[in-house]
Amino acid sequence: MTAETASNDVLAQGYRRARAITRQHATTYFWGTQLLDSAKRPHVYAVYALCRLADDIVDNPPTPGIDAATALRDFHERFMEHVRGQDATDPVLAAAANTVDVTGIPLACFDRFFAAMTLDLTQTTWDSWEHLRDEYMEGSAAVIGEMMLPVLRPLTPQALHPARNLGLAFQLTNFLRDVGEDLDRGRLYLPADELAAFGVDPWARSVTPQWKAFLAKQIQRNRALYADAETGVAMLPPDAARCVGAAIAMYRRILVEIEDADYDVFTRRVRVPGARKTALVTTRLARSALPDIDSPLRVSHQPPPQQLESTWREAMIPRIEEALRRSQQRDPGGWHVIGASTDIGRARSELRVISGREITVWRDGAGALRAGPGACPHMGAALQHCPVAGDQILCRWHGLALPHRGLGWQPIPAYDDGVLVWVNLPTPGEVTTSAPVVAARPPLDRSVIAVVARPAVCEPQDIVANRLDPWHGSWLHPQAFSHLRVDEAASTPDRLVTEVTFRLGHRFGVPVVAEFSCPDARTIAMHITDGEGTGSVVETHATALGTAHDGLPRTMMTEATIAYSPRRGFQASRPAAPLIAAGMRQVARRLWDDDLAYAQRRYLIRRSADF
């Protein structure tokens, strides 16, 4: 199978689908691949997608009236036809066949894999660990480790044994995590002799002391496999070592989550939270790159609620309101944030609403940001997802190219600051300026950037007011902040200086000094001025969307976190930037669940005149 056999379009589509399949069904695995060289990732996704699709046939035969054995055999044969160049119509199979051709994965590996999948159709229990490992996992797991080696390009042939054990370790973790789901399918991937020795019946789905002891033994076996597999990390190139090392750290954490769930794998599927994955990966990455690095972590135990000092006296309403009043006097110049720079691509336009007015935004042929009214001047069609042709967009109703002279449709000023995109609209009480006021930022090319946006039932000032009350942090977000103190001597009416510890679990934290200020009436920025991440900034922007049918205002909160550190370890972790950014977005969304409730409650109280 070569690129000549399958068109470039088919291959590109196949690799995109393979990536989507990996991301959907193997989030932990997918996160680890983000540390891999970009040229290798598509091949990892292709192998995973092929194996996943085969496994899905075993669990859910795709065609009514065709038994799973026939469907699996047909799938295997179609894959081989793609490998032989006799077929090139299925994008995922074409991508997998191309990966085999490019990387040189032995075809015998796939024969062993499909043999194991076929066995899975009839074999539902296993007599012993040796029976499970040698008869089934050999072809369903150990061989996957072998398939990955030509993709990862190890430095020595001795990487084979650790790679095989890593495949076994990953699958055993899945077996232990998914006991309940497998029972639902009438299968059990646990050694029957050991179940009997412990007096355990998994079909009863009861977490008894005997079950806990049995599962603890399986976890011990699993950890031994990981320990053996980890010896192979040093046998891989740096990018592959980062990827595999991170994957091991995350999968090992699943075992901890099982233990923390008191070995209950029947009622729910345990997961490693995204923030925990980010911490595991970045810690692993920094340590592997710079093992002697000075850590910014400090032992800082999270105090329980009964030991927290109340902050209601410090959070004086007149003080917060005066800071808000002063912030509202800072003219934004008619500029409104409409999203992240990455939200606007070059292929089509996007539609946004500001103060009830529809705005369409797109990028022209040179990549420059452009904007205009959101309705077509011909018949009022919404200019959402319109194709871009050079500097113009084409209305999806009749193909009218815009901008167009003589139709009264005038472009709107737009600005891309590298993180966020803005548009300028005439706004009451504001004097139009040529560019928005952008808070001081660290070097973007040496930072990790994450942007989140959430709508709220309130006005922009309520979003700003939430951030002008840092005293709520330790109480409303105890999982994220502790030991918060406002430095009264350093603070001014236009600037709040706080000392706070960002939490990393119950035991550890990162102490910093953070300064809050408002560049304009719709923006508040938090700069880290001392401690880990000095120079980092979190910008919170509030954009009025307009009034909804219920008569209540809607505001879009957009928050940009630009993380930076001069530490060598931070720069060493930059290959994990997509992974770190994903974790940052997850944390920000969780924090704003509470903060939007605060802002919305503040609006309702103001509206009721009880404030």
Side-chain angles (χ1 to χ4, degrees):
M1 171 73 184
T2 64
E4 290 100 33
T5 310
S7 72
N8 290 335
D9 288 344
V10 171
L11 286 178
Q13 183 183 5
Y15 281 118
R16 285 196 301 270
R17 288 187 184 176
R19 183 183 188 276
I21 290 170
T22 307
R23 185 167 190 171
Q24 178 182 355
H25 296 287
T27 54
T28 299
Y29 189 73
F30 179 83
W31 278 50
T33 64
Q34 300 310 293
L35 304 180
L36 197 60
D37 183 85
S38 59
K40 297 177 183 177
R41 284 181 221 155
H43 299 308
V44 174
Y45 301 148
V47 172
Y48 175 84
L50 175 75
C51 297
R52 177 71 198 199
L53 293 175
D55 191 58
D56 285 346
I57 292 173
V58 173
D59 292 335
N60 303 292
T63 305
I66 298 180
D67 65 279
T70 300
L72 184 64
R73 186 170 58 251
D74 291 345
F75 183 75
H76 184 191
E77 180 55 33
R78 285 202 66 200
F79 168 61
M80 294 308 298
E81 288 173 355
H82 281 72
V83 170
R84 293 190 293 264
Q86 298 168 338
D87 190 358
T89 56
D90 185 289
V92 174
L93 294 183
N98 185 66
T99 288
V100 171
D101 181 63
V102 170
T103 64
I105 300 174
L107 289 177
C109 289
F110 296 97
D111 293 336
R112 288 154 58 200
F113 169 75
F114 279 100
M117 293 297 98
T118 302
L119 181 62
D120 207 13
L121 294 171
T122 55
Q123 185 88 30
T124 57
T125 59
W126 306 90
D127 297 336
S128 64
W129 164 245
E130 293 73 20
H131 184 209
L132 174 63
R133 180 192 63 197
D134 299 339
E135 294 296 320
Y136 178 64
M137 296 175 70
E138 165 64 28
S140 64
V143 76
I144 305 299
E146 293 183 44
M147 291 180 188
M148 285 295 114
L149 285 180
V151 177
L152 301 181
R153 303 171 193 167
L155 306 176
T156 169
Q158 294 178 338
L160 176 62
H161 177 74
R164 286 173 48 81
N165 274 347
L166 183 58
L168 295 174
F170 283 164
Q171 188 168 62
L172 181 55
T173 299
N174 289 339
F175 287 163
L176 301 182
R177 178 195 61 194
D178 298 339
V179 170
E181 294 180 10
D182 289 334
L183 289 175
D184 292 340
R185 298 188 179 102
R187 298 192 182 102
L188 185 62
Y189 299 98
L190 299 172
D193 59 344
E194 295 176 29
L195 287 168
F198 280 88
V200 171
D201 178 14
W203 299 94
R205 302 180 190 241
S206 179
V207 184
T208 62
Q210 294 82 359
W211 170 257
K212 294 179 184 179
F214 166 80
L215 205 55
K217 178 179 179 179
Q218 306 310 309
I219 290 175
Q220 182 181 18
R221 170 182 285 143
N222 206 163
R223 286 182 170 136
L225 285 170
Y226 281 122
D228 186 87
E230 198 162 30
T231 63
V233 173
M235 305 176 190
L236 299 172
D239 68 309
R242 291 194 300 264
C243 169
V244 173
I248 290 174
M250 287 187 286
Y251 264 87
R252 271 179 168 160
R253 183 66 197 184
I254 294 175
L255 301 178
V256 176
E257 297 293 331
I258 292 174
E259 292 169 331
D260 289 348
D262 202 25
Y263 301 96
D264 182 4
V265 290
F266 299 115
T267 59
R268 67 181 182 90
R269 191 188 205 206
V270 300
R271 297 182 183 277
V272 180
R276 174 70 66 178
K277 289 179 182 177
T278 300
L280 288 170
V281 171
T282 53
T283 299
R284 171 82 192 201
L285 188 58
R287 286 179 178 173
S288 65
L290 299 162
D292 59 343
I293 189 170
D294 176 34
S295 172
L297 295 181
R298 299 292 180 267
V299 176
S300 176
H301 293 280
Q302 180 178 351
Q306 58 270 26
Q307 294 181 14
L308 280 178
E309 293 186 11
S310 65
T311 58
W312 69 272
R313 289 185 176 86
E314 289 80 4
M316 294 180 289
I317 295 175
R319 177 178 184 171
I320 296 172
E321 288 303 302
E322 174 60 16
L324 179 63
R325 185 189 66 79
R326 296 174 70 92
S327 75
Q328 299 305 290
Q329 294 176 346
R330 297 186 179 90
D331 190 349
W335 290 97
H336 304 259
V337 168
I338 59 170
S341 296
T342 53
D343 290 345
I344 314 302
R346 295 195 180 196
R348 63 183 190 177
S349 66
E350 299 293 339
L351 195 68
R352 297 291 187 266
V353 176
I354 300 174
S355 298
R357 180 176 177 182
E358 293 180 334
I359 307 295
T360 185
V361 287
W362 73 97
R363 294 191 186 276
D364 62 21
L369 187 70
R370 306 193 66 170
C376 177
H378 175 220
M379 294 180 65
L383 298 176
Q384 166 79 323
H385 297 167
C386 297
V388 176
D391 295 344
Q392 297 176 303
I393 56 173
L394 306 178
C395 176
R396 295 175 61 231
W397 279 16
H398 301 97
L400 175 61
L402 298 168
H404 188 286
R405 292 183 180 179
L407 294 179
W409 193 93
Q410 296 296 323
I412 293 172
Y415 188 87
D416 185 344
D417 65 23
V419 177
L420 300 169
V421 287
W422 311 61
V423 296
N424 189 279
L425 296 176
T427 306
E430 299 181 12
V431 179
T432 301
T433 57
S434 60
V437 177
V438 179
R441 292 171 172 173
L444 298 184
D445 60 347
R446 300 181 61 197
S447 302
V448 178
I449 300 169
V451 179
V452 297
R454 297 280 300 275
V457 182
C458 64
E459 295 176 341
Q461 64 155 296
D462 300 300
I463 301 291
V464 176
N466 169 266
R467 282 296 186 256
L468 288 173
D469 173 16
W471 296 276
H472 76 267
S474 294
W475 284 91
L476 201 54
H477 311 298
Q479 78 283 3
F481 308 108
S482 68
H483 303 87
L484 184 145
R485 185 185 74 85
V486 173
D487 186 340
E488 299 290 357
S491 297
T492 71
D494 296 317
R495 181 183 67 178
L496 273 171
V497 180
T498 66
E499 298 172 0
V500 64
T501 294
F502 291 105
R503 301 234 49 88
L504 292 174
H506 291 280
R507 186 181 178 192
F508 296 102
V510 179
V512 302
V513 176
E515 179 181 304
F516 295 83
S517 60
C518 294
D520 66 51
R522 292 187 286 272
T523 302
I524 182 165
M526 180 190 77
H527 287 88
I528 304 300
T529 59
D530 193 23
E532 176 60 18
T534 296
S536 301
V537 60
V538 179
E539 301 174 9
T540 305
H541 302 266
T543 301
L545 301 179
T547 303
H549 296 301
D550 57 10
L552 299 177
R554 298 297 193 270
T555 296
M556 183 65 72
M557 182 289 304
T558 304
E559 185 165 272
T561 302
I562 307 171
Y564 170 82
S565 174
R567 286 180 179 268
R568 292 181 300 149
F570 181 86
Q571 297 305 321
S573 68
R574 278 192 46 77
L579 185 60
I580 298 170
M584 290 163 59
R585 287 191 293 271
Q586 185 178 52
V587 170
R589 292 187 188 101
R590 188 165 62 243
L591 293 177
W592 275 104
D593 283 342
D594 293 325
D595 281 335
L596 287 185
Y598 175 122
Q600 291 175 151
R601 179 66 178 175
R602 182 183 186 277
Y603 168 74
L604 290 176
I605 293 173
R606 287 195 302 112
R607 185 169 176 258
S608 66
D610 291 337
F611 191 54

